[in-house]
């Protein structure tokens, strides 16, 4: 596992350099989810693939940008990753990220054994969730990630990141979001789940929601590359990840690119979500 985390550090440094120096234009292709790819999606995917395939404990890799996994002869872990999350924000210079889920035996929620994400913002930060959740920051002079602190969520936060097209929100979802605002919650939504979830985690709590909607009942965010890794991070930090009804980590993945509604947050907000969604299916 440490070997994989060391590889992810190298990947993060190289992707961070690519973000700063490479062309931000679009390519003439879409990925397996039908998203328009930017050149940096493809470059970041190649960087991650190169290091992960060269890591002896890695058995298989699959990414948001790949139709199917690449399997090796040996190794133990299955790594599913989103090489560049929030890539449509690159051209407006907002923070973006990379997300890695480290699985054993398969890609169901219960198979995830560790999760790592990287935030490329004014500073490069990496969060590693194993038994505990740890924050590291890149020292650009030494090119080393330095340990900063352990991260824990409070029982209740003050900020809210409500995703999905509001026009298509279910009425009960809209009412729940309105109620949070009436309680005094403040809006924090950039359109990049990595910085949005990082903010909630570092500020101690809150809610990030990417619900199912009338136009997209299964939401947008992908189980293997985005949802399961963050569900793992939040759980290990003392928070929760649910699909409205159940713990996200109890969900199965039928296809590599499956999506699910998802809510991440601290205890108070997630209880409100569960109460709201109860009986609505
Ligand atoms: P990606 O760039 O990997 O396709 O992911 C973007 C995701 C996620 O980061 C973000 O929370 C969500 O898409 C934003 O979606 P909306 O534009 O629908 O808000
Ligand atoms: Mn993504
Ligand atoms: Mn992506």
């Amino acid at each position: 596992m440490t070997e994989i985390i060391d590889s992810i550090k190298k990947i993060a440094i190289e992707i961070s350099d690519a973000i700063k120096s490479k062309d931000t234009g679009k390519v003439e292709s879409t990925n397996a989810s039908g998203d328009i790819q930017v050149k940096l999606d493809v470059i970041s995917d190649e960087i991650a693939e190169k290091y992960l395939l060269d890591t002896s404990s890695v058995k298989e890799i699959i990414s948001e940008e790949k139709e199917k996994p690449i399997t090796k002869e040996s190794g133990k872990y299955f790594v599913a990753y989103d090489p560049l999350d929030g890539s449509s924000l690159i051209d407006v210079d907002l923070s973006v990220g990379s997300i890695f889920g480290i699985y054993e035996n398969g890609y169901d929620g219960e198979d995830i054994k560790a999760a790592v994400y990287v935030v490329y913002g004014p500073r490069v930060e990496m969060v590693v969730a194993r038994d505990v959740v740890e924050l590291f920051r890149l020292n650009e002079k030494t090119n080393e990630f330095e340990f900063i602190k352990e991260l824990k969520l409070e029982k209740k936060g003050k900020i809210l990141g409500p995703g999905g097209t509001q026009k298509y929100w279910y009425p009960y979802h809209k009412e729940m979001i309105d109620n949070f605002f009436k309680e005094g919650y403040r809006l924090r939504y950039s359109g990049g789940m990595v910085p949005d979830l990082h903010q909630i985690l570092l500020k101690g709590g809150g809610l990030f929601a990417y619900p199912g909607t009338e136009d997209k009942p299964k939401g947008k965010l992908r189980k293997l590359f985005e949802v399961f890794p963050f569900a793992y991070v939040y759980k290990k930090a003392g928070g929760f990840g649910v699909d409205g009804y159940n713990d996200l980590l109890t969900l199965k993945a039928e296809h590599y690119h499956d999506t699910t509604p998802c809510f991440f947050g601290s205890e108070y907000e997630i209880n409100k979500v569960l109460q709201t969604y109860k009986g609505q299916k």
Side-chain angles (χ1 to χ4, degrees):
M1 188 64 80
T2 311
E3 190 199 14
I4 298 177
I5 292 162
D6 286 343
S7 296
I8 294 175
K9 288 179 184 164
K10 293 183 193 141
I11 293 166
I13 292 168
E14 210 165 309
I15 292 180
S16 170
D17 287 343
I19 291 169
K20 287 176 193 151
S21 59
K22 299 273 199 285
D23 188 338
T24 60
K26 297 186 170 59
V27 285
E28 297 298 314
S29 57
T30 54
N31 66 16
S33 302
D35 302 330
I36 297 166
Q37 289 173 304
V38 298
K39 286 179 191 160
L40 275 165
D41 283 318
V42 179
I43 292 168
S44 303
D45 190 39
E46 287 168 358
I47 292 169
E49 173 181 329
K50 174 181 77 181
Y51 285 105
L52 290 171
L53 289 181
D54 202 31
T55 305
S56 63
S57 55
V58 172
K59 168 82 184 155
E60 186 171 290
I61 63 168
I62 171 84
S63 87
E64 190 181 279
E65 310 304 336
K66 299 185 192 307
E67 196 102 28
K68 289 201 172 79
I70 303 175
T71 310
K72 288 163 56 190
E73 292 284 307
S74 60
K76 175 174 174 189
Y77 293 107
F78 294 55
V79 183
Y81 62 93
D82 179 354
L84 196 57
D85 177 74
S87 54
S88 69
L89 302 174
I90 291 270
D91 57 358
V92 292
D93 206 18
L94 283 175
S95 296
V96 293
S98 302
I99 312 166
F100 301 84
I102 301 158
Y103 300 77
E104 229 180 295
N105 303 317
Y107 297 107
D108 290 334
E110 65 184 21
D111 297 324
I112 192 161
K113 297 293 175 283
V116 180
Y117 69 82
V118 182
V119 194
Y120 310 101
R123 307 189 282 206
V124 177
E125 296 196 331
M126 181 167 90
V127 170
V128 178
R130 283 180 281 187
D131 290 337
V132 292
V133 181
E134 295 175 307
L135 173 69
F136 297 85
R137 187 174 299 142
L138 182 64
N139 177 332
E140 305 228 355
K141 294 204 174 78
T142 60
N143 248 3
E144 296 282 339
F145 277 93
E146 293 172 355
F147 174 74
I148 306 292
K149 61 178 177 184
E150 204 178 303
L151 300 176
K152 274 268 167 219
L153 282 158
E154 310 284 339
K155 297 230 177 295
K156 183 181 185 307
K158 295 178 185 150
I159 54 175
L160 185 60
T165 308
Q166 301 194 11
K167 178 176 152 186
Y168 297 118
W169 281 356
Y170 296 120
Y172 51 89
H173 181 81
K174 180 175 171 23
E175 196 186 327
M176 177 186 78
I177 298 295
D178 288 346
N179 284 338
F180 278 119
F181 285 127
K182 281 182 197 150
E183 266 190 62
Y185 280 74
R186 281 169 291 121
L187 178 66
R188 293 291 183 272
Y189 190 80
S190 74
M193 74 182 299
V194 173
D196 289 341
L197 282 162
H198 191 55
Q199 179 166 195
I200 292 171
L201 188 56
L202 275 118
K203 300 285 185 196
L207 178 70
F208 175 92
Y210 207 107
T213 48
E214 278 159 16
D215 61 328
K216 283 186 185 169
K218 291 194 161 171
K220 172 183 182 187
L221 298 175
R222 288 145 283 224
K223 288 178 181 169
L224 270 62
F225 321 114
E226 295 165 325
V227 175
F228 291 160
F230 270 110
Y232 192 85
V233 171
Y234 268 59
K235 186 176 225 166
K236 294 291 175 184
F240 300 85
V242 299
D243 66 353
Y245 310 93
N246 298 301
D247 182 338
L248 288 163
L249 295 179
T250 63
L251 302 184
K252 307 271 176 220
E254 276 157 41
H255 305 286
Y256 298 119
H257 297 274
D258 266 2
T259 63
T260 177
C262 55
F263 303 83
F264 304 93
S266 28
E267 189 180 313
Y268 175 82
E269 295 83 2
I270 294 295
N271 279 337
K272 291 269 181 213
V273 172
L274 294 171
Q275 282 162 21
T276 302
Y277 275 74
K278 200 171 179 191
Q280 297 289 0
K281 212 184 249 180

